[in-house]
Coordinates of all heavy atoms in Angstrom, one line a residue:
M26 N -7.7 9.3 -8.5 CA -6.5 9.8 -9.0 C -6.4 9.6 -10.5 O -6.6 8.4 -10.9 CB -5.3 9.2 -8.2 CG -4.0 9.9 -8.5 SD -2.7 9.2 -7.4 CE -2.8 10.3 -6.1
D27 N -6.1 10.6 -11.3 CA -6.0 10.5 -12.7 C -4.6 10.0 -13.1 O -3.6 10.7 -12.9 CB -6.3 11.8 -13.3 CG -6.3 11.8 -14.8 OD1 -6.0 10.7 -15.4 OD2 -6.7 12.8 -15.4
Y28 N -4.5 8.8 -13.6 CA -3.2 8.1 -13.9 C -2.5 8.9 -15.0 O -1.3 9.2 -14.9 CB -3.4 6.7 -14.4 CG -3.8 5.7 -13.4 CD1 -4.4 6.0 -12.2 CD2 -3.6 4.4 -13.6 CE1 -4.7 5.1 -11.3 CE2 -3.9 3.4 -12.7 CZ -4.5 3.8 -11.5 OH -4.8 2.8 -10.6
A29 N -3.2 9.4 -16.0 CA -2.5 10.1 -17.2 C -2.0 11.4 -16.7 O -0.9 11.8 -17.1 CB -3.5 10.3 -18.3
K30 N -2.8 12.1 -15.9 CA -2.4 13.5 -15.4 C -1.2 13.3 -14.5 O -0.2 14.1 -14.7 CB -3.6 14.1 -14.7 CG -3.4 15.5 -14.3 CD -4.8 16.1 -14.0 CE -4.8 16.7 -12.6 NZ -6.0 17.2 -12.2
T31 N -1.2 12.4 -13.6 CA -0.1 12.2 -12.7 C 1.2 11.7 -13.5 O 2.3 12.2 -13.2 CB -0.4 11.2 -11.6 OG1 -1.6 11.6 -10.9 CG2 0.7 11.0 -10.6
G32 N 1.0 10.8 -14.4 CA 2.1 10.3 -15.2 C 2.7 11.5 -16.1 O 4.0 11.5 -16.2
H33 N 1.9 12.3 -16.6 CA 2.4 13.5 -17.4 C 3.3 14.4 -16.4 O 4.3 14.9 -16.8 CB 1.3 14.2 -18.0 CG 1.7 15.4 -18.8 ND1 2.4 15.3 -20.0 CD2 1.6 16.8 -18.6 CE1 2.7 16.5 -20.5 NE2 2.2 17.4 -19.6
L34 N 2.8 14.6 -15.2 CA 3.5 15.5 -14.3 C 4.8 14.8 -13.9 O 5.9 15.5 -13.9 CB 2.7 15.7 -13.0 CG 3.3 16.5 -11.9 CD1 3.7 17.9 -12.4 CD2 2.5 16.6 -10.7
I35 N 4.8 13.5 -13.6 CA 6.1 12.8 -13.3 C 7.1 13.0 -14.5 O 8.3 13.3 -14.3 CB 5.9 11.3 -13.0 CG1 5.1 11.2 -11.7 CG2 7.2 10.6 -12.9 CD1 4.6 9.8 -11.4
A36 N 6.6 12.8 -15.7 CA 7.5 12.9 -16.9 C 8.1 14.3 -17.0 O 9.2 14.5 -17.3 CB 6.8 12.5 -18.1
S37 N 7.2 15.3 -16.9 CA 7.7 16.7 -17.1 C 8.6 17.1 -16.0 O 9.6 17.8 -16.2 CB 6.5 17.7 -17.1 OG 5.8 17.7 -15.9
L38 N 8.4 16.7 -14.7 CA 9.3 17.0 -13.6 C 10.6 16.3 -13.8 O 11.7 16.9 -13.6 CB 8.7 16.6 -12.3 CG 7.5 17.5 -11.8 CD1 6.9 16.9 -10.6 CD2 7.9 18.9 -11.5
R39 N 10.6 15.1 -14.3 CA 11.8 14.3 -14.5 C 12.6 15.0 -15.6 O 13.9 15.1 -15.5 CB 11.5 12.9 -14.9 CG 12.7 12.0 -15.2 CD 12.3 10.6 -15.7 NE 11.5 10.6 -16.9 CZ 11.9 10.8 -18.1 NH1 13.2 11.0 -18.3 NH2 11.1 10.7 -19.1
N40 N 12.0 15.4 -16.7 CA 12.7 16.1 -17.8 C 13.3 17.4 -17.3 O 14.3 17.8 -17.8 CB 11.7 16.3 -19.0 CG 11.5 15.0 -19.7 OD1 12.3 14.1 -19.8 ND2 10.3 14.8 -20.2
E41 N 12.5 18.2 -16.5 CA 13.1 19.4 -15.9 C 14.4 19.2 -15.2 O 15.3 20.0 -15.2 CB 12.0 20.1 -15.0 CG 10.9 20.8 -15.8 CD 9.9 21.4 -14.8 OE1 10.3 21.6 -13.6 OE2 8.8 21.8 -15.3
K42 N 14.4 18.1 -14.4 CA 15.6 17.8 -13.7 C 16.7 17.1 -14.5 O 17.8 16.8 -14.0 CB 15.3 16.8 -12.5 CG 14.4 17.4 -11.4 CD 15.3 18.2 -10.5 CE 14.5 18.6 -9.3 NZ 15.3 19.4 -8.4
E43 N 16.4 16.9 -15.8 CA 17.3 16.3 -16.8 C 17.7 14.9 -16.3 O 18.9 14.5 -16.4 CB 18.5 17.2 -17.1 CG 18.1 18.5 -17.7 CD 19.3 19.4 -18.0 OE1 20.4 19.1 -17.7 OE2 19.1 20.5 -18.7
L44 N 16.7 14.2 -15.8 CA 17.0 12.8 -15.4 C 16.4 11.8 -16.4 O 15.4 12.1 -17.0 CB 16.3 12.5 -14.0 CG 16.8 13.3 -12.8 CD1 15.9 13.1 -11.6 CD2 18.2 12.9 -12.5
T45 N 17.0 10.7 -16.5 CA 16.5 9.6 -17.4 C 15.5 8.8 -16.6 O 15.6 8.8 -15.3 CB 17.6 8.8 -18.0 OG1 18.2 8.1 -16.9 CG2 18.6 9.6 -18.8
Q46 N 14.7 8.0 -17.2 CA 13.9 7.0 -16.5 C 14.7 6.0 -15.8 O 14.4 5.6 -14.7 CB 13.0 6.3 -17.5 CG 11.9 7.2 -18.1 CD 11.0 6.4 -19.1 OE1 11.3 5.3 -19.6 NE2 9.9 7.0 -19.4
Q47 N 15.9 5.7 -16.4 CA 16.8 4.7 -15.7 C 17.3 5.3 -14.4 O 17.4 4.6 -13.4 CB 17.9 4.4 -16.7 CG 18.9 3.3 -16.1 CD 18.2 2.0 -15.9 OE1 17.4 1.5 -16.7 NE2 18.5 1.4 -14.7
Q48 N 17.7 6.6 -14.4 CA 18.2 7.2 -13.2 C 17.2 7.3 -12.1 O 17.5 7.0 -10.9 CB 18.7 8.6 -13.5 CG 20.0 8.6 -14.4 CD 20.3 10.0 -14.9 OE1 19.4 10.8 -15.3 NE2 21.6 10.3 -14.9
V49 N 16.0 7.6 -12.4 CA 14.9 7.6 -11.4 C 14.6 6.2 -10.9 O 14.5 6.0 -9.7 CB 13.6 8.2 -12.0 CG1 12.4 8.1 -11.1 CG2 13.8 9.7 -12.4
A50 N 14.6 5.3 -11.8 CA 14.3 3.9 -11.4 C 15.4 3.4 -10.5 O 15.2 2.7 -9.5 CB 14.2 3.0 -12.7
Y51 N 16.7 3.7 -10.8 CA 17.8 3.2 -10.0 C 17.7 3.8 -8.6 O 17.9 3.1 -7.6 CB 19.1 3.6 -10.7 CG 20.3 3.2 -9.9 CD1 20.8 1.8 -9.9 CD2 21.1 4.1 -9.1 CE1 21.9 1.4 -9.2 CE2 22.2 3.6 -8.3 CZ 22.6 2.3 -8.4 OH 23.6 1.9 -7.7
A52 N 17.4 5.1 -8.5 CA 17.3 5.8 -7.2 C 16.1 5.2 -6.4 O 16.2 5.2 -5.1 CB 17.0 7.2 -7.4
L53 N 15.1 4.7 -7.0 CA 14.0 4.1 -6.3 C 14.1 2.6 -6.1 O 13.3 2.0 -5.4 CB 12.7 4.4 -7.0 CG 12.3 5.9 -7.1 CD1 11.1 6.0 -8.0 CD2 11.9 6.4 -5.7
G54 N 15.1 1.9 -6.8 CA 15.2 0.5 -6.7 C 14.2 -0.3 -7.5 O 13.8 -1.4 -7.0
I55 N 13.8 0.2 -8.6 CA 12.8 -0.4 -9.5 C 13.4 -0.4 -10.9 O 14.5 0.0 -11.1 CB 11.5 0.3 -9.4 CG1 11.7 1.8 -9.8 CG2 10.8 0.2 -8.1 CD1 10.4 2.6 -9.9
T56 N 12.6 -1.0 -11.8 CA 13.0 -1.0 -13.2 C 12.6 0.3 -14.0 O 11.6 0.9 -13.6 CB 12.5 -2.2 -14.0 OG1 11.1 -2.1 -14.1 CG2 12.8 -3.5 -13.3
N57 N 13.3 0.6 -15.0 CA 12.9 1.8 -15.9 C 11.6 1.5 -16.6 O 10.9 2.5 -16.9 CB 14.0 2.1 -16.8 CG 14.3 1.1 -17.8 OD1 14.2 -0.1 -17.6 ND2 14.8 1.5 -19.0
K58 N 11.2 0.3 -16.8 CA 9.9 0.0 -17.4 C 8.8 0.4 -16.5 O 7.7 0.8 -17.0 CB 9.8 -1.5 -17.7 CG 10.8 -1.9 -18.9 CD 10.6 -3.4 -19.2 CE 11.6 -3.8 -20.3 NZ 11.5 -5.2 -20.7
T59 N 9.0 0.3 -15.2 CA 8.0 0.7 -14.3 C 7.8 2.2 -14.3 O 6.6 2.7 -14.3 CB 8.4 0.3 -12.8 OG1 8.6 -1.1 -12.8 CG2 7.3 0.7 -11.8
V60 N 8.9 3.0 -14.4 CA 8.8 4.4 -14.5 C 8.1 4.8 -15.8 O 7.2 5.7 -15.9 CB 10.2 5.1 -14.4 CG1 10.1 6.6 -14.7 CG2 10.8 4.8 -13.1
S61 N 8.4 4.1 -16.9 CA 7.8 4.3 -18.2 C 6.3 4.1 -18.1 O 5.5 4.8 -18.7 CB 8.4 3.4 -19.3 OG 7.7 3.5 -20.5
K62 N 5.9 3.0 -17.4 CA 4.5 2.7 -17.2 C 3.7 3.8 -16.5 O 2.6 4.2 -16.9 CB 4.4 1.4 -16.4 CG 2.9 0.9 -16.3 CD 2.9 -0.5 -15.6 CE 3.0 -0.3 -14.1 NZ 2.8 -1.5 -13.4
W63 N 4.4 4.4 -15.5 CA 3.7 5.5 -14.8 C 3.5 6.7 -15.7 O 2.5 7.3 -15.8 CB 4.6 6.0 -13.6 CG 4.9 5.0 -12.6 CD1 4.2 3.9 -12.3 CD2 6.0 5.1 -11.6 NE1 4.8 3.2 -11.2 CE2 5.9 4.0 -10.8 CE3 7.0 6.0 -11.4 CZ2 6.8 3.7 -9.8 CZ3 7.9 5.8 -10.4 CH2 7.8 4.7 -9.6
E64 N 4.6 7.0 -16.5 CA 4.6 8.2 -17.4 C 3.6 8.0 -18.5 O 3.1 9.0 -19.0 CB 6.0 8.5 -17.9 CG 6.9 9.0 -16.8 CD 8.3 9.3 -17.3 OE1 8.6 9.2 -18.5 OE2 9.1 9.7 -16.4
C65 N 3.3 6.8 -18.9 CA 2.3 6.5 -19.9 C 0.9 6.5 -19.4 O -0.1 6.4 -20.2 CB 2.6 5.2 -20.6 SG 4.1 5.3 -21.6
G66 N 0.7 6.6 -18.1 CA -0.6 6.6 -17.5 C -1.2 5.3 -17.3 O -2.4 5.1 -17.2
L67 N -0.3 4.2 -17.3 CA -0.8 2.9 -17.1 C -0.7 2.3 -15.7 O -0.9 1.2 -15.5 CB 0.0 2.0 -18.1 CG -0.1 2.3 -19.6 CD1 0.8 1.4 -20.4 CD2 -1.5 2.2 -20.0
G68 N -0.3 3.2 -14.8 CA -0.1 2.8 -13.4 C 0.4 3.9 -12.6 O 0.7 5.0 -13.1
L69 N 0.4 3.7 -11.3 CA 1.0 4.7 -10.3 C 2.0 4.1 -9.4 O 2.0 2.8 -9.2 CB -0.2 5.3 -9.5 CG -1.2 6.2 -10.2 CD1 -2.3 6.5 -9.3 CD2 -0.5 7.4 -10.7
P70 N 2.9 4.9 -8.9 CA 3.9 4.3 -8.0 C 3.2 3.7 -6.7 O 2.1 4.1 -6.3 CB 4.7 5.5 -7.5 CG 4.5 6.5 -8.6 CD 3.1 6.3 -9.1
D71 N 3.9 2.7 -6.2 CA 3.4 2.1 -4.9 C 3.5 3.2 -3.8 O 4.3 4.1 -3.9 CB 4.4 1.0 -4.5 CG 3.9 0.2 -3.3 OD1 2.9 -0.5 -3.4 OD2 4.6 0.4 -2.3
T72 N 2.7 3.1 -2.8 CA 2.6 4.1 -1.8 C 3.9 4.3 -1.1 O 4.2 5.4 -0.6 CB 1.5 3.8 -0.8 OG1 1.7 2.5 -0.2 CG2 0.1 3.9 -1.4
S73 N 4.7 3.3 -1.0 CA 6.0 3.4 -0.3 C 7.0 4.2 -1.1 O 8.0 4.7 -0.6 CB 6.6 2.0 0.0 OG 6.9 1.3 -1.2
L74 N 6.8 4.4 -2.4 CA 7.7 5.1 -3.3 C 7.5 6.6 -3.4 O 8.3 7.4 -3.8 CB 7.7 4.5 -4.7 CG 8.1 3.0 -4.8 CD1 8.0 2.5 -6.2 CD2 9.6 2.9 -4.3
W75 N 6.3 7.0 -3.1 CA 5.9 8.5 -3.2 C 6.8 9.4 -2.5 O 7.3 10.4 -3.1 CB 4.5 8.7 -2.8 CG 3.4 8.2 -3.8 CD1 2.7 7.1 -3.7 CD2 3.1 8.8 -5.0 NE1 1.9 6.9 -4.8 CE2 2.1 8.0 -5.6 CE3 3.5 10.0 -5.7 CZ2 1.5 8.3 -6.8 CZ3 2.9 10.3 -6.9 CH2 1.9 9.5 -7.5
P76 N 7.2 9.2 -1.2 CA 8.1 10.2 -0.6 C 9.4 10.3 -1.3 O 9.9 11.4 -1.5 CB 8.2 9.6 0.8 CG 7.0 8.8 1.1 CD 6.7 8.2 -0.3
D77 N 10.0 9.2 -1.6 CA 11.3 9.2 -2.3 C 11.2 9.8 -3.7 O 12.1 10.6 -4.1 CB 11.9 7.8 -2.4 CG 12.3 7.3 -1.0 OD1 12.6 8.1 -0.1 OD2 12.4 6.0 -0.9
L78 N 10.1 9.5 -4.4 CA 9.9 10.1 -5.7 C 9.8 11.6 -5.6 O 10.3 12.4 -6.5 CB 8.7 9.5 -6.4 CG 8.4 10.0 -7.8 CD1 9.5 9.6 -8.7 CD2 7.1 9.3 -8.3
S79 N 9.1 12.1 -4.6 CA 8.9 13.6 -4.5 C 10.3 14.2 -4.2 O 10.5 15.3 -4.7 CB 7.9 13.9 -3.4 OG 8.4 13.6 -2.1
V80 N 11.2 13.6 -3.4 CA 12.5 14.1 -3.2 C 13.3 14.1 -4.5 O 14.0 15.1 -4.8 CB 13.2 13.3 -2.1 CG1 14.7 13.7 -1.9 CG2 12.5 13.5 -0.7
I81 N 13.3 13.1 -5.2 CA 14.1 12.9 -6.4 C 13.6 14.0 -7.4 O 14.4 14.6 -8.1 CB 13.9 11.5 -7.1 CG1 14.6 10.5 -6.2 CG2 14.5 11.5 -8.5 CD1 14.2 9.1 -6.5
L82 N 12.3 14.2 -7.6 CA 11.8 15.2 -8.5 C 11.8 16.6 -8.0 O 11.5 17.6 -8.7 CB 10.4 14.8 -8.9 CG 10.3 13.4 -9.7 CD1 8.8 13.1 -10.0 CD2 11.1 13.4 -10.9
G83 N 12.1 16.8 -6.7 CA 12.2 18.1 -6.1 C 10.8 18.8 -6.0 O 10.8 20.0 -6.3
V84 N 9.8 18.1 -5.6 CA 8.5 18.7 -5.6 C 7.8 18.2 -4.3 O 8.1 17.2 -3.7 CB 7.6 18.3 -6.8 CG1 7.3 16.8 -6.8 CG2 6.4 19.1 -6.9
D85 N 6.9 19.1 -3.8 CA 6.1 18.7 -2.6 C 5.3 17.5 -2.8 O 4.7 17.4 -3.9 CB 5.3 19.9 -2.2 CG 4.5 19.7 -0.9 OD1 5.2 19.3 0.1 OD2 3.3 19.8 -0.9
L86 N 5.2 16.6 -1.8 CA 4.5 15.3 -2.0 C 3.0 15.6 -2.3 O 2.5 14.9 -3.1 CB 4.7 14.5 -0.7 CG 4.0 13.1 -0.7 CD1 4.4 12.3 -1.9 CD2 4.2 12.4 0.6
T87 N 2.4 16.5 -1.6 CA 1.0 16.7 -1.8 C 0.7 17.2 -3.2 O -0.3 16.8 -3.8 CB 0.4 17.8 -0.8 OG1 1.2 19.0 -0.9 CG2 0.5 17.2 0.6
K88 N 1.6 18.0 -3.8 CA 1.4 18.5 -5.2 C 1.6 17.3 -6.2 O 0.9 17.2 -7.2 CB 2.4 19.6 -5.5 CG 2.0 20.9 -4.7 CD 3.0 22.0 -5.0 CE 2.6 23.2 -4.1 NZ 3.6 24.2 -4.1
L89 N 2.5 16.5 -5.9 CA 2.8 15.3 -6.7 C 1.6 14.4 -6.7 O 1.1 13.9 -7.7 CB 4.0 14.6 -6.3 CG 4.5 13.4 -7.1 CD1 4.8 13.9 -8.6 CD2 5.8 12.8 -6.5
L90 N 1.0 14.2 -5.5 CA -0.2 13.3 -5.4 C -1.4 13.9 -6.1 O -2.2 13.2 -6.6 CB -0.5 13.1 -3.9 CG 0.5 12.1 -3.2 CD1 0.2 12.1 -1.7 CD2 0.4 10.7 -3.7
A91 N -1.5 15.2 -6.1 CA -2.6 15.9 -6.8 C -2.5 15.8 -8.3 O -3.5 15.9 -9.0 CB -2.6 17.4 -6.4
G92 N -1.3 15.6 -8.8 CA -1.1 15.4 -10.2 C -1.0 16.7 -11.0 O -1.0 16.7 -12.2
E93 N -0.8 17.8 -10.3 CA -0.7 19.1 -11.0 C 0.1 20.1 -10.1 O 0.0 20.0 -8.9 CB -2.0 19.6 -11.4 CG -2.9 19.9 -10.2 CD -4.3 20.4 -10.7 OE1 -4.6 20.5 -11.9 OE2 -5.2 20.6 -9.8
M94 N 0.8 20.9 -10.8 CA 1.5 22.0 -10.1 C 0.8 23.3 -10.4 O 0.5 23.6 -11.6 CB 2.9 22.1 -10.6 CG 3.8 20.8 -10.4 SD 4.2 20.6 -8.6 CE 5.3 22.0 -8.4
P95 N 0.5 24.1 -9.4 CA -0.2 25.4 -9.7 C 0.8 26.3 -10.4 O 2.0 26.3 -10.1 CB -0.6 25.9 -8.3 CG 0.3 25.2 -7.3 CD 0.7 23.8 -8.0
K96 N 0.2 27.1 -11.3 CA 1.0 28.1 -12.0 C 1.5 29.2 -11.1 O 0.7 29.6 -10.2 CB 0.2 28.7 -13.2 CG -0.3 27.6 -14.2 CD 0.8 27.2 -15.1 CE 0.3 26.3 -16.1 NZ 1.2 25.5 -16.8
N97 N 2.6 29.7 -11.3 CA 3.1 30.9 -10.5 C 2.3 32.1 -10.9 O 2.0 32.3 -12.1 CB 4.6 31.2 -10.8 CG 5.4 30.1 -10.2 OD1 5.1 29.5 -9.2 ND2 6.6 29.9 -10.7
K98 N 2.0 32.9 -10.0 CA 1.2 34.1 -10.3 C 2.2 35.2 -10.8 O 3.3 35.3 -10.4 CB 0.6 34.7 -9.0 CG -0.5 33.8 -8.5 CD -1.2 34.4 -7.3 CE -2.2 33.4 -6.8 NZ -2.8 33.9 -5.5
P99 N 1.8 35.9 -11.8 CA 2.7 36.9 -12.4 C 3.0 38.0 -11.4 O 2.1 38.4 -10.5 CB 1.9 37.5 -13.6 CG 0.5 37.2 -13.3 CD 0.5 35.9 -12.5
D100 N 4.2 38.6 -11.5 CA 4.6 39.7 -10.6 C 3.9 41.0 -11.0 O 4.0 41.4 -12.2 CB 6.1 39.8 -10.6 CG 6.6 40.9 -9.6 OD1 5.8 41.3 -8.7 OD2 7.7 41.2 -9.7
N101 N 3.2 41.6 -10.1 CA 2.5 42.9 -10.5 C 3.3 44.1 -10.0 O 2.7 45.1 -9.6 CB 1.1 42.9 -9.9 CG 0.2 41.8 -10.5 OD1 0.4 41.5 -11.7 ND2 -0.7 41.3 -9.8
G102 N 4.6 44.0 -10.0 CA 5.5 45.0 -9.5 C 5.3 46.3 -10.4 O 4.9 46.2 -11.6
N103 N 5.7 47.4 -9.9 CA 5.7 48.7 -10.6 C 7.1 49.1 -10.9 O 7.9 49.4 -10.0 CB 4.9 49.7 -9.8 CG 4.7 51.0 -10.5 OD1 5.3 51.2 -11.6 ND2 3.8 51.8 -10.1
I104 N 7.5 49.2 -12.1 CA 8.8 49.6 -12.5 C 9.1 51.0 -12.1 O 10.3 51.4 -11.9 CB 9.1 49.4 -14.0 CG1 10.6 49.5 -14.4 CG2 8.3 50.4 -14.8 CD1 11.4 48.4 -13.9
N105 N 8.1 51.8 -12.0 CA 8.3 53.2 -11.6 C 8.8 53.4 -10.1 O 9.4 54.4 -9.8 CB 7.0 54.0 -11.7 CG 6.6 54.1 -13.2 OD1 7.5 54.2 -14.1 ND2 5.3 54.2 -13.5
R106 N 8.6 52.4 -9.3 CA 9.1 52.4 -7.9 C 10.4 51.8 -7.8 O 11.0 51.8 -6.7 CB 8.1 51.7 -7.0 CG 6.8 52.4 -6.8 CD 6.0 51.8 -5.7 NE 4.7 51.4 -6.4 CZ 3.9 50.4 -5.9 NH1 4.3 49.8 -4.8 NH2 2.8 50.1 -6.5
A107 N 11.0 51.2 -8.8 CA 12.3 50.6 -8.7 C 13.4 51.6 -8.7 O 13.3 52.7 -9.3 CB 12.5 49.7 -9.9
K108 N 14.4 51.4 -7.9 CA 15.5 52.4 -7.7 C 16.7 51.8 -8.4 O 17.1 50.6 -8.2 CB 15.8 52.6 -6.3 CG 14.6 53.3 -5.6 CD 15.0 53.6 -4.1 CE 13.8 54.3 -3.5 NZ 14.1 54.7 -2.1
F109 N 17.3 52.5 -9.3 CA 18.5 52.1 -9.9 C 19.7 53.0 -9.5 O 19.5 54.2 -9.3 CB 18.3 52.2 -11.5 CG 17.3 51.3 -12.0 CD1 16.0 51.8 -12.2 CD2 17.6 50.0 -12.3 CE1 15.0 50.9 -12.7 CE2 16.6 49.2 -12.8 CZ 15.3 49.6 -13.0
Y110 N 20.8 52.4 -9.3 CA 22.0 53.2 -8.9 C 23.0 53.1 -10.0 O 23.2 52.0 -10.6 CB 22.5 52.6 -7.6 CG 21.5 52.8 -6.5 CD1 20.7 51.7 -6.1 CD2 21.4 54.0 -5.8 CE1 19.7 51.9 -5.1 CE2 20.5 54.1 -4.7 CZ 19.7 53.1 -4.4 OH 18.8 53.2 -3.4
V111 N 23.7 54.2 -10.2 CA 24.8 54.2 -11.2 C 26.1 54.2 -10.5 O 26.3 55.0 -9.6 CB 24.6 55.5 -12.1 CG1 25.7 55.6 -13.1 CG2 23.2 55.5 -12.8
C112 N 27.0 53.4 -10.9 CA 28.3 53.4 -10.4 C 29.0 54.7 -10.7 O 29.1 55.1 -11.8 CB 29.1 52.2 -10.9 SG 30.8 52.1 -10.4
P113 N 29.6 55.4 -9.6 CA 30.2 56.7 -9.9 C 31.5 56.5 -10.7 O 31.9 57.5 -11.3 CB 30.5 57.2 -8.5 CG 30.4 56.0 -7.6 CD 29.6 55.0 -8.2
K114 N 32.1 55.4 -10.7 CA 33.4 55.2 -11.4 C 33.2 54.9 -12.9 O 33.9 55.4 -13.8 CB 34.2 54.1 -10.8 CG 34.7 54.5 -9.4 CD 35.6 53.3 -8.9 CE 36.1 53.7 -7.5 NZ 36.9 52.6 -6.9
C115 N 32.3 54.0 -13.2 CA 32.1 53.6 -14.6 C 30.8 54.0 -15.2 O 30.6 53.8 -16.4 CB 32.2 52.1 -14.7 SG 31.0 51.2 -13.8
N116 N 29.9 54.7 -14.5 CA 28.6 55.1 -15.0 C 27.8 54.0 -15.5 O 27.1 54.0 -16.4 CB 28.7 56.3 -16.0 CG 29.2 57.5 -15.3 OD1 28.8 57.8 -14.2 ND2 30.0 58.3 -16.0

């Protein structure tokens, strides 16, 4: 497991949720220095913390353990098949 890659993912997911390290630490019952250590790639969460961390960050546990989130595939929709309706009152 790549500590730096996983730490970067934890930091980016935490920032997306607009959570501080202190808030994550409080929810897990640990210190904010521990969360900082993970995000710097100097360590990983204890195995007992992974399930709760995945819930806090709103991500699937297996993706969190992998240390990366797959990119969303672009939508290949066709605008020519889209149907638009015009309101008869206000056009």
Side-chain angles (χ1 to χ4, degrees):
M26 191 176 265
D27 186 353
Y28 288 22
K30 191 165 123 179
T31 303
H33 180 71
L34 178 62
I35 292 171
S37 64
L38 290 171
R39 179 183 58 78
N40 287 326
E41 282 179 17
K42 291 281 188 178
E43 297 181 355
L44 296 170
T45 64
Q46 290 179 345
Q47 183 63 44
Q48 290 169 320
V49 173
Y51 181 77
L53 293 172
I55 56 176
T56 67
N57 62 330
K58 290 180 182 182
T59 303
V60 177
S61 176
K62 185 174 82 170
W63 301 340
E64 293 181 1
C65 292
L67 301 175
L69 289 173
D71 185 70
T72 54
S73 64
L74 298 175
W75 284 102
D77 291 335
L78 182 62
S79 70
V80 171
I81 292 166
L82 298 177
V84 67
D85 184 53
L86 180 59
T87 55
K88 292 177 182 173
L89 188 59
L90 287 170
E93 60 186 358
M94 296 290 294
K96 301 282 186 198
N97 290 335
K98 294 181 181 177
D100 184 14
N101 294 331
N103 187 344
I104 192 71
N105 295 328
R106 287 190 241 158
K108 295 182 181 181
F109 295 95
Y110 297 95
V111 178
C112 175
K114 291 183 181 179
C115 62
N116 289 328

